[in-house]
Structure formats: structure tokens, C-alpha cells
Amino acid sequence: MNDISRNALPTQPLTWARVRPGRRIADRTLKVVCALFTALGAFVLGWILLMLLYEGGSALSLDVFTHVTPGPGTEGGGIANAIVGSFILTLLGIVVATPVGVLAGTYLAEYGKGSKLAEVIRFVNDILLAAPSILIGLFVYTLMVPPLGGYSGWAGGVALAIIAVPVIVRTTEDMLRLVPGSLREAGAALGAPMSTVIVHISWRAARAGMVTGILLATARIAGETAPLLFTALNNNFWFRPDLMGGVSNLPVMIYQFALAPYENWRSLAWAGALVITLSILALSVVARLLLKKDHAR
Amino acid sequence: MVALSERMSLSTMQTIRRAPKTTFDPLFRWASVASALLVLLVLAGILGSMVYGGWPAFREFGFGFITSSVWSVGKGEFGAWVAIAGTLTSALIALVIGVPISIGIAIFLTQLCPPWLKRPVSTTVELLAAVPSIIYGMWGLFVFAPLFARYVQVPVSSLVEGMPILGTILYARVPSGVGLLTAGIILAIMIIPFIASITRDILDQIPTILRESAYGIGCTTWEVVRHVLLPQAGVSIIGAVMLGLGRALGETMAVTFVIGNANRLSLSLFDPSSTIASRIANEFNEASDLHFNALLALGCILFLVTFAVLVLARLLIARVRNR
């Protein structure tokens, strides 16, 4: 398009000279404002990352990764229990969410395609995708905390799973829909039952996209705080092997320590914030690279 | 591909030889139907637990629960108005600030951005969406709020002091940096990536030929955006905005950090307030009896409001997709 306009009209200034000043100014304003807004977004991201690197970086030390969180007024300490706790809760959440999410997404894309029920479920799933996470915390509290006799890692894992499921359902369905129908027909023509076609053809063809969805869901729940406040809680010890009585985790630890009056708690909160943000950003970058590589192939 | 088809034919040949009576097939089907139904069940469960748990509070205070602005744990009196007003105001501020910026970013990405810059800018927007909300809260409280107090609250307060309406709305009694406006600004930053990426997708779906014909009759970029793209995208951009609104209404951690968690109704945007989500986050673990029920009733109100907003958002976005 550029070539054509350049051939037709000799120079750029001449093109502009034909445009009324009012229109020219409106156009310039739009371009400058849009570019500024975009720069603002990049600036805020850069600012937040720099803040984390500065505050969190100066708080990092070997102790941070090897000691448990200190009690009120205790010197030193680390966040080892919170890191491991967060890892376990996230793993628990994703292990629960993956089968449910993948199967539900499979229903939407394969079995229920075009049915009324699938439409309703797709709609509800989209609502759940954006539902306030604190309400999910409240729901899991009433569902699991009093019945199990107290706060537990299990409740935290289920709360995170409920947040992860809609993400996985959505990406699984989207990715399965990209699989051409002729592949399925080829499988069916060989006499394979529907489940075999889905597992060995559809899933295999959509594998990279589905894994990306699961990784993105992991990134999403790893930093969730609100649903853990009333389910997994947080404490200053290693969790019990049965995960009852609360499991320390990074997000809630950061929330409590950042607002605390102790200097060492504050710096541990910054260290935790750096660790969790970098892990999440790395995870989401890897997830997207995976998808891009697969598409390029 | 070759390996795949080889394995396929092998496995199907075995199936045929063994007579195609398989228990896995119906099992798999039912498992996937059950998983899909579970999604429905979770949403119903959330609503059910809120209504059930909040019922005693609704029964005790009736309609006054929504209109009363008294929230006193000591006296056992609970009214939701301060939290409701705080939730709506902070979300509204977030939209007023966030929507123009989001649409600007979407226009930049789809219309103005040179190809080599597209990937980095998209990645930036995606990473902004991936940053956990608690990090926004820390940034807001420890970095943004002090700057905001010093360079905005103090000068503006002294400027408007004594003025009729502005003197109330923009006057900070204690310029600490936290408050409704700060919460609104942080929320705006958090919803920008969502609105921007959906708007970008919507703009990308508009047929190129419309754009090209507008340029062809000599329109400037501004005129193309204003008279071709925005009218075409119209309703679904409103849908994207509603989706952002839904996020802003329910956002918890970042708001809890920067809103100040005050319990009284104030007309000033600089004063601390609280939202439904921040109040639940702050008080739920210590609550018992009627306080507990009142917090669940707050959750119920939040659920109904966000549910309505999100349903509307989906309907608006879907309308254009189907066209």
C-alpha cells in the first residue's frame, strides 16, 4: 500500500498539504495519544519489575531459602516453608483441575458440540473465568473448612482448582476446535470408537495448545491470594504431612508480612514477592513460547 | 504423522479383532459429561453457599442491610452501604481511567504499531495481566501511594480547600496516599490488559476491506478509527468494558492494600473507604455469628452484581461475534 501512495503522490509533505489542518491535528493527536498510552503500560510494568528487583533483590540471601518464616519479633528467618507450601498447593490445584478441565473442554468441543447444554456450560464457564476469586474462597470455606474440622491444604488446593478449571476448559475447547474434522473422520472410518478418536487423534493433535492452557492456569493460580485466605491460611511452621491445620504459602505470607510492623518481615515479603512474580512471568512466557513453536512447525 | 497413522491402524486392528466391545468408550463419555456438569455445579454451589450463609443477615436487617451505613461488630449492627458505595465508586474510577487507555493501546496495536514492535507490546500487555494482584497491592501501597500523597493529594487539597463542591470531593483530611482514588487507579492498571486484549481481538476481526476503503477515499487514521472501526466494533467494546468492570468489582488483594479499610461514609475521593471484597478479606477469619453471616451476605451481593455485569458482557460480546 505504501508503494502505491508513494508512486501516485510525489512526496509526503505534499500529501499532508492537501489535508485540512483540523483533520491533520486530530490524526496526529490520536497517534501520539495511543503511543503514549502504550508506553505508559510498558512503563508501569517496568516500574513494578524494577521495584521488585530492587527491594526483593536486596532482601535475598541463602537464609531466605533455607529457614522457615520467623515468629513475631524474632530476628532473621526465611520463607522456605512458604515456597514449598505454595508449590504443593499449586500442584494440588492443578492436579485436581487438569482432568476435570480437560474432560469438560473435551465435552464442549467433541461430544456436546452445538448442543444446548454445551452452550449453557460454555457460558457459565466464561462467567466462572472472571468470577471474583474471594467468593471462591468463601465457597470453599463453607464447603470444606468446618466439615474437615479446620483450615487445611486440601481446601486451599480445591479453591485453586476451581480457579484453574475454567482456564483449562476454555483453552482445551479452543485448541480442540482447531483440529480439522477430517482427522476425526479418518479415525472413525478405521472403526475407532469415539473415545479412541478423541484420545489418540484430537488430543494428540491439540497437545501443545492444551499443555499451554494448563501452564497458563498454573501461572494464574500460583499468585492467587484471596482464595487461600480462608482455606489454606498461613502460619510460621512447616505444614503437617496430612496438610491439616493450615499450610504456609507465599501469597498469604506476603500479604501478612508486608503489612506487619517488623523490619525483617517486610524484607521477607519483598523476597517472596520477587520469587513469586519471576516464577509466574517465566511460566507464562514459557507457555506462550511453547504455543508459538508448535504453530510455527 | 506417519508414526501416528501406523499406531492408529495397529490399535484399531486389534480392536476389530477383539470385537469392538469396550467399556472405556462409555466411561470416557460419561466422565466428560460429568466434568462439564461439575462446572455448572460449582457456580450453583457458590451462589447457594452465599445465599444460605447470608440468609440470617438478610432476615435480621431486611432491606436495611443494603441501605444502612452502620457496620459495627460491637453493637451487632451491620449495613452494607459503605462497602457497596466503595465497590461501585472504585470500579467506576477504574473504568473512567482504564477504558480510554485500553482502547488507545488496542488501536496502537492494531493500527499504528510497526510490525517489529507488535510482539514486544503484546507480550508486555500479557505480562501486565499475569502479575499477581498482591504485587499491584504492594506497588500501590509502598511506591505509588507516597508519591500520590506528596504530588497529588497535598497540592490538590490545598488548592480546592473551601471551594463549594470540589472542596468536598477532592479534599484529603489526612493525605496518606491511600483511599478511593488510589484504589481506582490501581484497579485501572489491573483491568487495562484485559480490556485492551479483548478490544484488540475485536478490532482484528473487522474486515480489512472496510478499513482500506476508508483510507482509499482519503480518510486519516483518526477518521478511520472514529467513523469506521469504533462504530463497527461498537457494542462488543462495551462488552469488553463490562468484563473489565466485573474484574474491578471483585478484585480483592490490591484494593485491600490501598483503600485504607475505613468504615465510614465519606464524600471525598481522597479519603479511605472499603469495598465488599476488602471487607471480607479483612474480617472473615475473625468473624462469628451474625458478623459471619453479614459477611456472607456481602459476598452474596457482590456475586449478584458481578454475575449480572459478566452476563451482560458476554451477551454483548457474543452479539457481534455471531453477526
Side-chain angles (χ1 to χ4, degrees):
Chain A
M1 220 172 83
N2 267 339
D3 290 335
I4 299 171
S5 54
R6 223 169 273 150
N7 289 342
L9 305 156
T11 49
Q12 202 69 3
L14 199 65
T15 345
W16 272 116
R18 295 181 177 182
V19 181
R20 238 180 32 244
R23 297 175 60 203
R24 202 187 313 170
I25 290 165
D27 186 64
R28 274 284 148 82
T29 314
L30 174 85
K31 286 177 178 163
V32 170
V33 165
C34 286
L36 274 181
F37 282 167
T38 311
L40 187 73
F43 174 70
V44 169
L45 181 70
W47 193 357
I48 289 175
L49 291 181
L50 279 180
M51 167 198 81
L52 282 174
L53 286 176
Y54 177 75
E55 298 273 3
S58 59
L60 280 186
S61 66
L62 195 63
D63 280 0
V64 166
F65 295 100
T66 52
H67 286 56
V68 296
T69 43
T74 320
E75 283 299 305
I79 51 172
N81 52 341
I83 293 178
V84 178
S86 250
F87 185 77
I88 288 182
L89 288 178
T90 308
L91 197 70
L92 202 59
I94 217 69
V95 164
V96 174
T98 300
V100 176
V102 166
L103 283 172
T106 304
Y107 171 78
L108 292 183
E110 305 274 349
Y111 289 113
K113 207 163 63 183
S115 76
K116 235 353 276 159
L117 179 66
E119 210 151 284
V120 172
I121 289 173
R122 195 172 296 128
F123 196 79
V124 165
N125 189 65
D126 278 351
I127 303 271
L128 267 185
L129 200 60
S133 55
I134 189 148
L135 294 183
I136 291 167
L138 283 183
F139 167 58
V140 175
Y141 175 89
T142 49
L143 190 73
M144 290 182 74
V145 173
L148 284 181
Y151 300 105
S152 68
W154 305 111
V158 169
L160 292 182
I162 293 180
I163 294 172
V165 163
V167 183
I168 300 179
V169 171
R170 181 68 181 273
T171 41
T172 303
E173 192 203 350
D174 286 351
M175 291 305 147
L176 286 178
R177 278 171 168 243
L178 293 178
V179 177
S182 52
L183 278 186
R184 291 187 190 96
E185 282 161 16
L190 289 172
M194 186 102 172
S195 58
T196 312
V197 171
I198 292 172
V199 174
H200 292 280
I201 298 178
S202 300
W203 280 7
R204 191 168 293 196
R207 194 166 49 189
M210 287 161 69
V211 171
T212 303
I214 294 167
L215 287 180
L216 287 180
T218 315
R220 168 90 198 272
I221 62 174
E224 280 287 350
T225 316
L228 295 179
L229 282 175
F230 328 127
T231 52
L233 211 66
N234 183 40
N235 53 42
N236 291 330
F237 345 101
W238 285 102
F239 44 85
R240 288 172 35 188
D242 61 357
L243 297 184
M244 292 301 295
V247 173
S248 54
N249 57 86
L250 278 174
V252 181
M253 184 284 284
I254 294 171
Y255 172 54
Q256 291 173 347
F257 278 26
L259 299 172
Y262 312 109
E263 197 56 45
N264 63 328
W265 278 27
R266 285 260 187 106
S267 72
L268 285 178
W270 282 114
L274 178 67
V275 169
I276 202 159
T277 310
L278 288 188
S279 334
I280 289 172
L281 293 189
L283 207 53
S284 36
V285 168
V286 167
R288 281 170 221 284
L289 284 182
L290 194 73
L291 193 64
K292 225 148 260 161
K293 205 174 123 202
D294 188 65
H295 276 207
R297 202 170 55 191
Chain B
M1 202 60 217
V2 176
L4 187 141
S5 54
E6 257 169 25
R7 199 178 295 188
M8 256 311 299
S9 57
L10 250 171
S11 70
T12 39
M13 268 170 47
Q14 280 164 358
T15 331
I16 290 165
R17 266 186 220 147
R18 277 195 212 139
K21 208 182 100 190
T22 152
T23 50
F24 180 71
D25 195 50
L27 204 69
F28 186 80
R29 191 196 168 100
W30 286 116
S32 76
V33 175
S35 300
L37 289 176
L38 202 60
V39 173
L40 277 186
L41 208 63
V42 166
L43 193 79
I46 295 175
L47 179 63
S49 67
M50 299 293 143
V51 172
Y52 177 76
W55 190 247
F58 284 130
R59 204 181 42 204
E60 176 82 21
F61 304 110
F63 198 66
F65 182 73
I66 296 177
T67 53
S68 162
S69 54
V70 181
W71 182 276
S72 163
V73 181
K75 283 189 229 152
E77 270 181 56
F78 300 101
W81 182 242
V82 177
I84 294 176
T87 308
L88 296 180
T89 320
S90 60
L92 202 69
I93 297 171
L95 286 191
V96 168
I97 300 170
V99 168
I101 299 183
S102 315
I103 295 179
I105 293 178
I107 291 173
F108 181 81
L109 263 174
T110 53
Q111 316 296 323
L112 308 171
C113 187
W116 58 269
L117 200 61
K118 242 178 197 167
R119 273 279 288 283
V121 173
S122 311
T123 314
T124 305
V125 173
E126 279 160 8
L127 290 186
L128 265 179
V131 171
S133 74
I134 192 156
I135 304 299
Y136 281 108
M138 289 178 88
W139 179 74
L141 181 63
F142 296 118
V143 179
F144 185 76
L147 293 175
F148 189 70
R150 193 155 153 207
Y151 295 108
V152 180
Q153 283 193 338
V154 174
V156 171
S157 290
S158 57
L159 190 72
V160 300
E161 196 171 0
M163 282 195 210
I165 296 166
L166 282 180
T168 322
I169 299 178
L170 290 177
Y171 182 70
R173 258 168 290 195
V174 186
S176 58
V178 299
L180 263 180
L181 188 57
T182 316
I185 293 171
I186 303 292
L187 280 176
I189 298 172
M190 297 181 67
I191 62 173
I192 283 172
F194 291 99
I195 304 182
S197 64
I198 300 172
T199 310
R200 178 196 58 192
D201 292 347
I202 294 166
L203 292 181
D204 268 341
Q205 280 177 9
I206 295 173
T208 324
I209 193 153
L210 286 178
R211 197 152 53 101
E212 281 176 355
S213 29
Y215 279 122
I217 58 168
C219 287
T220 61
T221 310
W222 159 250
E223 285 154 354
V224 172
V225 168
R226 170 70 189 76
H227 298 291
V228 178
L229 295 182
L230 290 187
Q232 272 291 315
V235 195
S236 49
I237 288 190
I238 298 175
V241 170
M242 299 292 272
L243 212 59
L245 177 63
R247 292 233 169 228
L249 288 170
E251 178 47 50
T252 311
M253 297 322 294
V255 174
T256 309
F257 268 87
V258 296
I259 200 157
N261 302 311
N263 231 336
R264 85 193 112 82
L265 204 58
S266 165
L267 285 176
S268 170
L269 294 181
F270 284 156
D271 274 348
S273 178
S274 57
T275 68
I276 293 179
S278 74
R279 178 158 290 167
I280 296 174
N282 270 317
E283 301 181 6
F284 190 75
N285 275 332
E286 278 90 46
S288 56
D289 305 326
L290 199 56
H291 187 198
F292 176 88
N293 294 322
L295 287 172
L296 280 172
L298 273 185
C300 188
I301 295 174
L302 177 62
F303 181 88
L304 294 178
V305 173
T306 43
F307 187 78
V309 167
L310 293 175
V311 167
L312 202 60
R314 287 296 164 194
L315 291 178
L316 289 173
I317 293 178
R319 218 176 90 175
V320 177
R321 291 256 162 88
N322 293 342
R323 203 168 53 187

